[in-house]
Amino acid sequence: LATLYFGQGQYIQAKEYFIQLGMQHPFSALTSKAWFWAAESALSKEDAREYRSIVYKQYPLSEVAPIAYFRQFSYEEYFEGHVDAIQHLRGFQDLFPHSPLLIAAHYLIGHNEKTSKKKQLQFEEGLKTFENYLSNTSEPQASFAFFYYQTMLE
């Protein structure tokens, strides 16, 4: 029902059902996804951040934990170099060292580094991460290729 509401753009109702599922069934295999989609349904940034933090703190091994962590801040906040956003992003590698989102994390951190040497180190790590990602997947996502090419351009 929550997914149906979400698909219909009825985000308030969707969020209520996702939260209900997360609270009533904290040990279900679907709980991390329920909290993730509660965050996606949230109308306020504060609620979304609260629900995402539940995902990556309480369910760090779930498939949506890296995405929830990465989405704690917007691309705008990352590109503009908001201190909290970049500091948050710096923790990504320690928590999710095998996630392909690490490609984007290295690029965004490098984009905000102050010295050429630090930029170079981040960009090189991003390229290595992309090569590892390519060796482990048969169908790479275009968004990761974008960060690869951006890194090469930088």
Side-chain angles (χ1 to χ4, degrees):
L1 189 56
T3 304
L4 179 66
Y5 279 135
F6 186 87
Q8 293 173 345
Q10 297 179 38
Y11 301 118
I12 294 171
Q13 293 88 341
K15 182 183 83 168
E16 289 173 5
Y17 278 99
F18 285 128
I19 291 171
Q20 183 178 355
L21 176 62
M23 293 180 81
Q24 291 179 353
H25 305 282
F27 304 110
S28 166
L30 299 175
T31 303
S32 63
K33 289 181 181 178
W35 285 112
F36 177 84
W37 286 104
E40 296 298 300
S41 303
L43 300 178
S44 78
K45 186 185 279 190
E46 292 79 19
D47 285 348
R49 285 192 174 152
E50 176 187 346
Y51 306 145
R52 285 186 191 114
S53 69
I54 291 171
V55 175
Y56 65 80
K57 288 179 180 177
Q58 294 182 20
Y59 307 95
L61 300 179
S62 73
E63 67 184 77
V64 293
I67 303 165
Y69 189 92
F70 192 84
R71 289 190 182 177
Q72 274 297 67
F73 293 90
S74 68
Y75 275 105
E76 180 180 357
E77 291 167 309
Y78 290 136
F79 274 114
E80 290 179 353
H82 290 215
V83 175
D84 291 345
I86 300 305
Q87 188 62 31
H88 175 79
L89 204 53
R90 289 184 189 282
F92 191 89
Q93 184 169 1
D94 291 337
L95 296 172
F96 309 107
H98 304 294
S99 170
L101 284 169
L102 187 55
I103 300 162
H106 282 301
Y107 173 76
L108 292 166
I109 293 168
H111 179 76
N112 286 285
E113 289 290 9
K114 303 299 181 215
T115 68
S116 295
K117 185 66 177 170
K118 288 182 178 181
K119 283 181 185 288
Q120 179 182 347
L121 290 173
Q122 286 298 325
F123 292 155
E124 287 173 351
E125 284 301 311
L127 294 177
K128 286 182 206 171
T129 303
F130 185 77
E131 295 300 327
N132 288 338
Y133 167 67
L134 280 183
S135 68
N136 292 314
T137 187
S138 59
E139 295 182 34
Q141 292 183 18
S143 60
F144 300 131
F146 166 81
F147 285 106
Y148 172 77
Y149 293 119
Q150 283 297 116
T151 300
M152 293 292 286
L153 286 171
E154 296 279 338

